């Protein structure tokens, strides 16, 4: 039997060390170049600061809205609060964000920057707690915007609640007038019946 002479010999540790010694100039040059590039990038990159606000939202899991829906039923215990997904949408809405940045006296980033995670809103697990993260180049601006979001959101929700309560009162007055008219008609019919 003849041995197969086409089989390459295995690369041993001393062969590997010999290659490293021969190429040490190239290896050092690559290492220094990579470190210099990383340091240069870090020095030229705009710093980003992140500040976080946390909001507890009173929420219900589902809404029962129909065409002839009676708003009085919305104000029974457990039905007054909207769902979490809607509240996250409100917290990310351009209208609320514009108001937040104006009150914080910070320049509103472009829509592209907002879409690039300047403001991140996420629900904490399955709880009613929502985390809002603000990432901006200025530490002070990030803190101001993060602290303004709960205030503006609270004011917005108070305004919405006032509209709902006004609507409820109007609907209740209509029902009261309708019931009073029905009662008056019934009393007149009863008086007419008694007179006969």
């Amino acid at each position: 039997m003849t041995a197969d002479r086409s089989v390459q010999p295995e690369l041993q540790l001393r062969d590997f060390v010999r290659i490293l010694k021969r190429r040490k100039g190239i290896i050092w040059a690559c290492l220094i170049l990579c470190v210099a590039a990383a340091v240069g990038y870090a020095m030229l990159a705009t710093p980003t600061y992140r500040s976080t606000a946390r909001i507890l939202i009173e929420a219900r899991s589902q809404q029962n809205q129909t065409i002839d829906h009676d708003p009085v039923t919305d104000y029974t215990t457990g039905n007054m609060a909207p769902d979490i997904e809607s509240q996250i949408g409100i917290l990310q809405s351009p209208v609320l964000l514009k108001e937040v940045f104006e009150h914080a006296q910070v320049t509103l980033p472009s829509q592209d920057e907002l879409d690039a995670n300047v403001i991140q809103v996420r629900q904490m697990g399955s709880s009613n707690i929502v985390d809002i993260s603000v990432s901006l180049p200025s530490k002070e601006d990030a803190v101001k915007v993060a602290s303004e979001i709960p205030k503006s959101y609270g004011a917005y929700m108070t305004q919405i609640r006032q509209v709902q309560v006004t609507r409820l009162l109007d609907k209740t007055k209509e029902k009261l007038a309708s019931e009073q008219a029905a009662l008056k008609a019934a009393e007149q019919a009863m008086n007419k019946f008694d007179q006969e």
Side-chain angles (χ1 to χ4, degrees):
M1 293 184 112
T2 60
D4 187 5
R5 297 184 184 255
S6 63
V7 175
Q8 297 292 328
E10 287 184 22
L11 185 66
Q12 295 180 355
L13 181 60
R14 89 182 84 137
D15 296 328
F16 184 69
V17 171
R18 206 174 313 129
I19 291 171
L20 288 178
K21 283 182 180 178
R22 271 191 268 152
R23 305 278 188 238
K24 70 179 172 185
I26 293 172
I27 293 170
W28 279 109
C30 289
L31 180 65
I32 291 170
L33 184 65
C34 289
V35 169
V39 169
Y41 177 77
M43 292 176 71
L44 294 175
T46 305
T48 301
Y49 297 93
R50 176 171 285 177
S51 186
T52 304
R54 213 168 251 175
I55 298 175
L56 174 65
I57 297 177
E58 180 185 351
R60 63 179 172 192
S61 58
Q62 60 183 359
Q63 295 178 335
N64 184 17
Q65 299 286 336
T66 58
I67 294 173
D68 56 347
H69 168 84
D70 181 4
V72 176
T73 60
D74 287 342
Y75 291 87
T76 58
T77 305
N79 285 340
M80 290 179 70
D83 61 302
I84 291 282
E85 292 81 15
S86 297
Q87 299 313 296
I88 289 174
I90 289 171
L91 287 164
Q92 294 173 324
S93 70
V95 173
L96 185 69
L97 291 179
K98 182 180 178 190
E99 187 176 316
V100 165
F101 278 86
E102 283 176 4
H103 287 148
Q105 297 177 345
V106 176
T107 304
L108 180 67
S110 69
Q111 190 60 45
D112 290 338
E113 291 173 324
L114 287 173
D115 291 343
N117 297 329
V118 169
I119 305 286
Q120 293 178 329
V121 182
R122 65 183 178 89
Q123 182 179 1
M124 299 293 292
S126 61
S127 69
N128 291 355
I129 298 172
V130 175
D131 246 3
I132 303 131
S133 297
V134 179
S135 301
L136 291 171
S138 166
K139 181 179 179 179
E140 293 79 19
D141 289 349
V143 170
K144 284 196 279 187
V145 170
S147 63
E148 184 58 41
I149 287 175
K151 295 175 193 172
S152 294
Y153 171 76
Y156 177 81
M157 290 309 294
T158 300
Q159 181 182 5
I160 294 294
R161 191 61 54 91
Q162 286 173 344
V163 169
Q164 290 174 335
V165 169
T166 302
R167 188 171 157 226
L168 171 67
L169 289 173
D170 292 343
K171 188 74 171 180
T172 305
K173 286 177 186 176
E174 287 174 18
K175 275 189 155 186
L176 179 62
S178 171
E179 294 297 325
Q180 285 176 336
L183 181 61
K184 188 174 182 179
E187 285 176 353
Q188 288 174 350
M190 195 71 134
N191 287 339
K192 188 176 181 182
F193 179 75
D194 285 343
Q195 291 173 357
E196 293 178 357

